[in-house]
Amino acid sequence: MTLQIFVQSPEPQIPSQTLTLTPSSTQTLHHLKLSLLPKPITESFSSSFYFTLNGKPLPDSTLLESPQIAPLSTLVLRYRLSGGGGDGGATGAESRDCYLNMYAERKPDKVDPNEQKLSKWTNCALSNEPLREPCVIDRLGNVFNKEALVEALLGKKLPKEFGYIRGLKDMITVRFSRVPGAAESDENAGGRTLFQCPITGLEINGKYRFLALRNCGHVLSAKALKEVKSSACLVCHEEFQESDKIVINGSEEEVAVLRERMMEEKAKVREKKVKKNGEEGVGLEMSRLSGRKHGIDVKAVETVASGKLDANGKSANGGVVKESLKRFKAGDMAPANATKEVYASIFTSSKKSNFKETYSCRSLPLGRN
């Protein structure tokens, strides 16, 4: 009895062929495999090859007379890949933590610095919405939509980083010049800025320095102010000083300089308020104690307050003022039908007592024990 079968292999050193066999009762696929493999492979790697029939592997001990191998069957001789699960050498012994740590340590995507700079010039620093007029800046050069900033102030929702903004006096309205052909409906379309320098035409995209003039609000490039040296705005011709220039979205060093200038200005305003309140307080106190009722010379008080006295208590015009300045006593203003001593006794400040407090009378009011 003869058996005709077809043998194929994906390995190039084993050609495909048709075999006509006369199998015996002891011949197995192992014997057939040894006859097909070259001698170098047979000596070392014969156990790495195996047969498959219709995609299913057959053990080497399968007899050629087995009913599984029908005449005209196609056997495929394949090379067995090394590894635990056929996935590239994984044996299953690795810890699952290795994979978890591999994904946990994944670094976040780097932010493009150019995109980050452009965002500062095209979006509001508070709401992160596209800039739309009217726009304002603070004293440190941050750009805001005025509507968003006012709403945050009214709702008391301003972040701590902008806590130095207390009201409209801390905002400066700026005037941006639009790029020709850019309408409000094209807000930052395609990441393109809408504003430019009205003198040089440089776009406000974070690549160039721009400054705002506090007195008029126009935004000009540093290049324009450097090339055209003038003490007046190049757009509206309004005069400005060097301290009126505010760098918009400046570097850390520039922001530090602006912050120092802001603190100095606030200190000067605070000092003026304190001085003004002090003068008003002196004037109010004199108005309360002035007049014939209290017998106080207002001019003398003003002279003493101003420090215009010499060592003898004389003023600049030679008059003696210390004698006219007497401490107010209630007894001096006794009514017509009351004696001075009786009227003064109802005021504790006019009574001098030799009473000495003891342990037994400590809880009693003075003069009532």
Side-chain angles (χ1 to χ4, degrees), residues 164-209:
Y164 52 87
I165 302 177
R166 301 296 179 85
L168 296 175
K169 61 182 179 180
D170 296 321
M171 308 178 196
I172 302 171
T173 302
V174 291
R175 304 177 185 178
F176 286 109
S177 299
R178 285 189 170 272
V179 176
E184 292 186 3
S185 57
D186 301 334
E187 288 180 350
N188 305 327
R192 182 172 177 269
T193 182
L194 301 178
F195 307 113
Q196 67 175 4
C197 173
I199 306 301
T200 60
L202 296 176
E203 291 188 355
I204 302 178
N205 52 15
K207 296 181 180 179
Y208 311 99
R209 291 179 69 244

Side-chain angles (χ1 to χ4, degrees), residues 37-111:
L37 295 174
K39 286 186 178 181
I41 298 178
T42 303
E43 295 174 356
S44 304
F45 304 101
S46 61
S47 60
S48 300
F49 289 86
Y50 66 99
F51 284 103
T52 62
L53 178 63
N54 298 327
K56 296 181 180 180
L58 298 175
D60 288 352
S61 60
T62 303
L63 296 173
L64 293 176
E65 294 181 345
S66 172
Q68 294 181 357
I69 305 175
L72 304 179
S73 297
T74 300
L75 297 177
V76 181
L77 184 60
R78 299 180 180 276
Y79 181 75
R80 182 178 287 109
L81 297 175
S82 60
D87 56 354
T91 62
E94 293 87 351
S95 173
R96 186 168 177 266
D97 294 338
C98 297
Y99 299 98
L100 297 179
N101 293 334
M102 179 176 63
Y103 290 103
E105 295 176 0
R106 176 180 293 178
K107 297 181 179 180
D109 297 335
K110 294 183 179 180
V111 180

Side-chain angles (χ1 to χ4, degrees), residues 271-283:
E271 184 179 352
K272 288 182 180 179
K273 286 184 177 180
V274 171
K275 186 176 181 181
K276 184 178 179 181
N277 293 337
E279 292 177 354
E280 290 180 354
V282 172

Side-chain angles (χ1 to χ4, degrees), residues 49 85 88 124 241 261 315 344:
F49 289 86
C124 172
Q241 299 179 357
R261 184 195 301 176
S315 61

